């Protein structure tokens, strides 16, 4: 009897170790990030369901995706308009929308969450979806600032939970940070890496550390630029010019802060400061706080560090 069971046990463990090939994707959140993720997944042959709270939001998301695809097709198929039209049609066929996440996760391979940067909201969402998604389904968050472990702990599938941090605008930016928590299984991690490559992205792996790789280096740099200006060591214009011409950056730090949104940057640094109050890299900026209080949030409000038309 013992001999007879050995081949079965070996087969079972091999199957358990097999990576999941993601074919069906559910994206929660129809904002810029969620719509971008849905677009590139649909364009690479995945069936995608994009979920948000209202049809009004989803209609706006769909229109944004269609406009983005038209721009992409015009560039990619400049000499072949018929091929461009076919590309748009095939991509949109792979995409459906829904306002009910519970009803659509029953047959999905991967759920990618791209909702508001609020831990309680993310926990509530994943706690609910955990009850209805199949056992094989992997969960991933697109958070840029919250610990993946804290989100995963709302579920019973911590081994099938990781981070997939995309960058804005998603269709153009080639990088994806694949975040592995101490509980993420190797099978899950490899499945997320393979999925990122299938989207045509370049994935990099990172542990579940504040800001992962890019924001951990970028946000303290932006905050140090603000401190340099606050101390009166240089003007914001000269700091921007110096970093563009001296370091080869496409944008200066104040241009980038206005592009990202001052409220977003403040939210990130405030969260990190709470985690590590003695870390000077995470010290808040009084000037940034003042601008946010005055609702001067950057390009989206017409004024931040600079005025925008």
């Amino acid at each position: 009897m013992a001999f007879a069971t050995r081949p079965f046990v070996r087969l079972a463990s091999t199957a358990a170790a097999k990576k999941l090939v993601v074919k069906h994707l559910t994206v929660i959140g129809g904002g810029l990030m969620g719509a971008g993720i849905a677009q590139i997944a649909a364009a690479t042959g995945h069936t995608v369901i994009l979920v948000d709270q209202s049809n009004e939001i989803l209609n706006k998301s769909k229109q944004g995706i269609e406009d983005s695809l038209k721009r992409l097709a015009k560039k990619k198929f400049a000499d072949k308009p018929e091929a461009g039209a076919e590309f748009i049609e095939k991509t949109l066929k792979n995409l459906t929308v829904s306002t009910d996440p519970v009803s659509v996760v029953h047959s999905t391979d991967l759920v990618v969450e791209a909702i508001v940067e609020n831990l309680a909201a993310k926990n509530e969402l994943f706690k609910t979806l955990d009850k209805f998604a199949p056992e094989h389904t992997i969960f991933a968050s697109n958070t840029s600032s919250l610990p993946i472990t804290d989100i995963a702990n709302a579920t019973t599938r911590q081994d099938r939970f990781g981070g997939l941090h995309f960058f804005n605008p998603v269709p153009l930016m080639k990088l994806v940070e694949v975040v592995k928590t101490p509980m993420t299984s190797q099978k899950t991690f490899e499945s997320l890496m393979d999925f990122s490559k299938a989207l045509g992205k370049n994935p990099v792996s990172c542990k579940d550390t504040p800001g992962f790789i890019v924001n951990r280096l970028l946000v303290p740099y932006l905050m140090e630029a603000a401190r340099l200006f606050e101390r009166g060591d240089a003007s914001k214009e000269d700091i921007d010019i110096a970093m563009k011409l001296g370091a080869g950056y496409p944008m200066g730090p104040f241009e980038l802060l206005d592009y990202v949104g001052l409220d977003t940057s403040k939210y990130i640094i405030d969260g990190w400061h709470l985690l590590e109050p003695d870390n000077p890299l995470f010290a808040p900026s009084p000037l940034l706080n003042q601008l946010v209080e005055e609702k001067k949030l950057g390009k989206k409000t017409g004024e931040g560090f600079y005025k925008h038309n």
Side-chain angles (χ1 to χ4, degrees), residues 82-285:
E82 295 90 355
E86 188 184 347
F87 165 72
I88 293 168
E89 188 184 352
K90 279 177 74 175
T91 300
L92 293 175
K93 268 187 183 176
N94 287 333
L95 178 68
T96 54
V97 296
S98 174
T99 56
D100 184 6
V102 165
S103 69
V104 299
V105 296
H106 59 82
S107 59
T108 198
D109 298 319
L110 173 65
V111 174
V112 177
E113 166 272 314
I115 66 170
V116 64
E117 284 286 84
N118 179 286
L119 182 61
K122 292 179 191 291
N123 282 350
E124 187 60 34
L125 172 71
F126 278 119
K127 187 178 179 183
T128 302
L129 298 184
D130 192 37
K131 297 171 187 171
F132 295 94
E135 191 179 341
H136 79 275
T137 303
I138 295 172
F139 285 175
S141 175
N142 181 59
T143 182
S144 59
S145 60
L146 296 170
I148 299 293
T149 303
D150 289 356
I151 307 171
N153 283 340
T155 74
T156 59
R157 62 182 78 207
Q158 290 98 329
D159 60 322
R160 285 152 287 153
F161 205 115
L164 278 179
H165 183 219
F166 292 83
F167 291 81
N168 189 30
V170 179
L172 300 180
M173 298 293 277
K174 288 291 184 183
L175 184 69
V176 178
E177 292 176 326
V178 180
V179 185
K180 186 178 183 183
T181 77
M183 300 95 74
T184 308
S185 71
Q186 187 62 21
K187 170 187 165 184
T188 296
F189 171 71
E190 289 175 8
S191 299
L192 291 175
M193 289 289 282
D194 288 352
F195 171 67
S196 302
K197 289 172 187 172
L199 297 179
K201 301 300 183 187
N202 294 323
V204 293
S205 65
C206 182
K207 289 183 179 177
D208 190 15
T209 185
F212 313 135
I213 298 173
V214 174
N215 282 340
R216 181 60 184 259
L217 295 173
L218 180 63
V219 174
Y221 152 72
L222 296 175
M223 298 304 293
E224 189 56 26
R227 293 183 198 108
L228 195 66
F229 176 46
E230 283 171 336
R231 291 195 301 266
D233 294 340
S235 70
K236 59 182 184 289
E237 292 83 3
D238 281 351
I239 293 168
D240 277 352
I241 290 168
M243 293 312 294
K244 285 190 287 187
L245 301 185
Y249 288 7
M251 283 187 189
F254 295 100
E255 291 172 322
L256 185 54
L257 279 161
D258 275 6
Y259 178 78
V260 168
L262 305 194
D263 51 339
T264 302
S265 302
K266 172 178 158 52
Y267 179 86
I268 293 170
I269 207 68
D270 285 352
W272 293 359
H273 183 61
L274 280 173
L275 284 173
E276 298 182 27
D278 298 326
N279 190 334
L281 291 175
F282 300 162
S285 158

